[in-house]
Amino acid sequence: MTTATPGLLDAHLTLLAEALLPYRSSEQLLARWGTELAATLAGGGRLLVAGNGGSAAEAQHLTAELVGKLRDDRRPLSAIALHAETSALTAIGNDYGYDEVFARQVRAHGRRDDVLLLMSTSGASANLLAAARAGREAGLRCWAFTGPAPNPLADACHEVLAIASPESQVVQELHLVSTHVLCEYVDRALPAALAVTAAAAAAPVGEPTAPVRTGVEVVLDGERRVEAG
């Protein structure tokens, strides 16, 4: 009796299972990123995302979830997939070279404290590295989804979610999971973030955030005191 050799699906699932155990430690990072991103978007900031190939598709998936919705209806959130701007992409590539196709758009659209999220299985794409440099120079917070770290993109960004798998397909699959979990955390944190933004907008300009004690400063026997007024 012959034993059947493992099929492609079984082999692939084995690689995925091996990556899942270390991936579970990403929960805290995704929760914090979701809270920070919700605050940024609620305050009128923007998310810029970019990737190449399959990572471009995943980046565009993320922006679709934010501009549209993940589950429940809510206000649209500002998120742009830079690779989807095809006319700008090809014009910049033609005039400045492919390494600049994202960086120039980051300089155009990014504002201080916006978030730039760059996706790459290798973490070595020159155009994403250029985008990270441009983002940091412009004061954006730069995050990355990559494959195994260390890698150049992880080093170029402020923070990274690195998937510990040598298989690029597995890396992309867990990047997709990360996209969905990140959006879940954004949606969870958004109501509180919007409330904070609304309260700040409603407060009169220059109004103190805490009661101010008034009085007259006097000196008695060398001791300085404030007498209530």
Side-chain angles (χ1 to χ4, degrees), residues 74-151:
R74 47 124 170 92
R75 60 176 284 180
L77 303 172
S78 181
I80 298 175
L82 300 180
H83 54 273
E85 297 287 335
T86 53
S87 293
L89 190 81
T90 52
I92 295 167
N94 189 59
D95 293 340
Y96 298 96
Y98 195 69
D99 288 357
E100 283 293 305
V101 293
F102 300 138
R104 191 167 179 85
Q105 292 187 76
V106 169
R107 297 186 190 100
H109 301 304
R111 300 294 182 266
R112 181 169 295 277
D113 295 327
D114 281 351
V115 175
L116 174 65
L117 176 56
L118 303 170
M119 300 186 180
S120 172
T121 56
S122 69
S125 300
N127 55 8
L128 296 178
L129 293 172
R133 289 191 293 270
R136 296 188 69 144
E137 289 168 2
L140 280 73
R141 282 167 289 166
C142 298
W143 301 341
F145 283 180
T146 74
N151 61 70

Side-chain angles (χ1 to χ4, degrees), residues 13-106:
L13 291 177
T14 297
L15 291 171
L16 182 59
E18 290 172 353
L20 280 173
L21 186 60
Y23 175 70
R24 287 181 180 274
S25 65
S26 303
E27 173 86 26
Q28 187 173 9
L29 178 63
L30 287 168
R32 180 166 55 79
W33 279 7
T35 301
E36 291 180 15
L37 184 55
T40 297
L41 299 177
R46 175 177 291 158
L47 173 67
L48 303 179
V49 195
N52 296 292
S55 295
E58 297 212 359
Q60 201 165 340
H61 186 130
L62 171 57
T63 58
E65 303 284 22
L66 294 174
V67 178
K69 66 174 183 176
L70 185 65
R71 281 202 185 94
D72 300 326
D73 190 27
R74 47 124 170 92
R75 60 176 284 180
L77 303 172
S78 181
I80 298 175
L82 300 180
H83 54 273
E85 297 287 335
T86 53
S87 293
L89 190 81
T90 52
I92 295 167
N94 189 59
D95 293 340
Y96 298 96
Y98 195 69
D99 288 357
E100 283 293 305
V101 293
F102 300 138
R104 191 167 179 85
Q105 292 187 76
V106 169

Side-chain angles (χ1 to χ4, degrees), residues 1-20:
M1 180 176 179
T2 59
T3 303
T5 58
L8 291 176
L9 177 60
D10 185 69
H12 189 97
L13 291 177
T14 297
L15 291 171
L16 182 59
E18 290 172 353
L20 280 173

Side-chain angles (χ1 to χ4, degrees), residues 150-211:
N151 61 70
L153 186 59
D155 293 339
C157 292
H158 294 106
E159 293 187 283
V160 61
L161 190 158
I163 304 300
S165 174
E167 178 55 59
S168 61
Q169 295 173 24
V170 169
V171 172
Q172 288 181 343
E173 286 157 5
L174 292 183
H175 283 177
L176 180 57
V177 174
S178 301
T179 289
H180 287 151
V181 174
L182 178 62
C183 289
E184 292 265 17
Y185 275 116
V186 168
D187 282 358
R188 180 178 295 184
L190 191 60
L194 289 171
V196 169
T197 300
V205 176
E207 180 177 298
T209 55

